[in-house]
């Protein structure tokens, strides 16, 4: 497995792509379009696939 981190492609609030890493903490990103700071966190994988 790679140690590379993925970056968000767009802001989850406004959808713009003008994102930059924030100094607010690990995984924090700044959106310069709507002036929000948000974090991205990987929680984990499901234990089993849910079929409907």
């Amino acid at each position: 497995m790679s140690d590379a981190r993925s970056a968000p492609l767009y802001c989850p609030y406004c959808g713009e792509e003008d994102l930059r890493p924030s100094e607010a903490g690990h995984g924090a990103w700044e959106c310069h379009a709507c002036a929000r700071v948000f974090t991205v966190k990987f929680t984990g994988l499901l234990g089993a696939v849910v079929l409907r």
Side-chain angles (χ1 to χ4, degrees), residues 1-37:
M1 187 170 241
S2 174
D3 285 338
R5 304 285 183 208
S6 294
L9 300 176
Y10 58 88
C11 174
Y13 298 100
C14 70
E16 290 293 327
E17 299 176 356
D18 189 12
L19 302 177
R20 298 179 190 154
S22 175
E23 295 181 6
H26 179 73
W29 292 87
E30 299 174 355
C31 176
H32 286 251
C34 68
R36 288 188 168 110
V37 176

Side-chain angles (χ1 to χ4, degrees), residues 26-51:
H26 179 73
W29 292 87
E30 299 174 355
C31 176
H32 286 251
C34 68
R36 288 188 168 110
V37 176
F38 61 93
T39 60
V40 177
K41 178 183 174 185
F42 176 73
T43 303
L45 298 172
L46 292 174
V49 177
V50 179
L51 300 175

